Amino acid sequence: MFIQTESTPNPATLKFLPGQMVLEAGTADFATPEAAATSPLARRIFAAGGVSAVFFGTDFVAVTKADEVAWDHIKPAILGAIMEHYQSGAPVLEGEQAASGHASHDGPDEDVVRQIKELLDTRVRPAVAQDGGDITFHGFDRGIVYLHMQGACAGCPSSTLTLKMGIENLLRHYIPEVLEVRPVAA
């Protein structure tokens, strides 16, 4: 098995490409070792040490390192953990499966929210996945769209620019009801 790595716009996050499917659909985000209880793969990666978050996409694993650790010191252990997992035949997730990640929303703005989610799914999320992350809808209130950033996007130095200059401009262009885009904490 040959696992490729790619850098992301977030210097604290590396994207690992195992050359096979990680999740069939959706994403999974593990911000702590405790949150990884349902994932044998995420548990192995956290056990490598120096890892602060793990994120799964359809064909990649994004790993965020702790600030005090250098990639040169932990990358071999993470590669080993991913390889061991795939050789073991264990599932990536036990029990629950990944979800689309979008929060549900109903009420008077239901049509606007449907348009927001559609633009996120077709225009934003595929591009953000290339950088090892995901952005999901969290809420819409009085013209303000609240988005949750995951994987390499969470804590990325360029995430504010991505939100304001990219996503906000896109949504405002297609949906006049959108006035602003703001990030939310997990």
Side-chain angles (χ1 to χ4, degrees):
M1 174 178 215
F2 180 71
I3 302 169
Q4 294 180 308
T5 60
E6 289 180 3
S7 59
T8 71
N10 184 348
T13 303
L14 263 182
K15 189 173 168 184
F16 293 81
L17 301 147
Q20 51 192 285
M21 187 177 298
V22 178
L23 290 180
E24 283 189 40
T27 61
D29 193 22
F30 307 97
T32 64
E34 295 76 28
T38 60
S39 172
L41 176 55
R43 287 194 308 263
R44 283 179 201 255
I45 294 169
F46 274 111
V51 173
S52 64
V54 177
F55 178 82
F56 300 150
T58 53
D59 65 348
F60 69 89
V61 175
V63 178
T64 304
K65 70 175 186 67
D67 291 338
E68 66 276 1
V69 183
W71 278 117
D72 291 344
H73 296 124
I74 64 168
K75 186 176 168 183
I78 294 168
L79 287 165
I82 294 170
M83 193 171 298
E84 273 179 27
H85 172 78
Y86 279 99
Q87 290 174 343
S88 75
V92 172
L93 293 176
E94 296 169 333
E96 68 183 69
Q97 292 300 310
S100 75
H102 291 309
S104 61
H105 183 95
D106 53 12
D109 299 319
E110 195 170 348
D111 191 48
V112 172
V113 169
R114 184 190 51 72
Q115 292 175 54
I116 292 167
K117 289 179 180 181
E118 185 176 322
L119 280 170
L120 289 173
D121 287 342
T122 59
R123 297 283 194 87
V124 176
R125 293 176 82 188
V128 171
Q130 293 296 312
D131 287 337
D134 197 10
I135 296 179
T136 57
F137 174 82
H138 186 78
F140 180 73
D141 184 34
R142 289 180 244 146
I144 301 173
V145 177
Y146 295 92
L147 300 177
H148 182 217
M149 304 177 85
Q150 300 173 304
C153 295
C156 176
S158 62
S159 65
T160 302
L161 186 65
T162 300
L163 270 182
K164 290 294 179 187
M165 301 307 289
I167 300 167
E168 183 175 291
N169 287 344
L170 173 80
L171 293 178
R172 288 176 69 187
H173 176 77
Y174 288 103
I175 307 167
E177 294 87 349
V178 173
L179 303 174
E180 184 182 354
V181 173
R182 293 183 188 168
V184 295

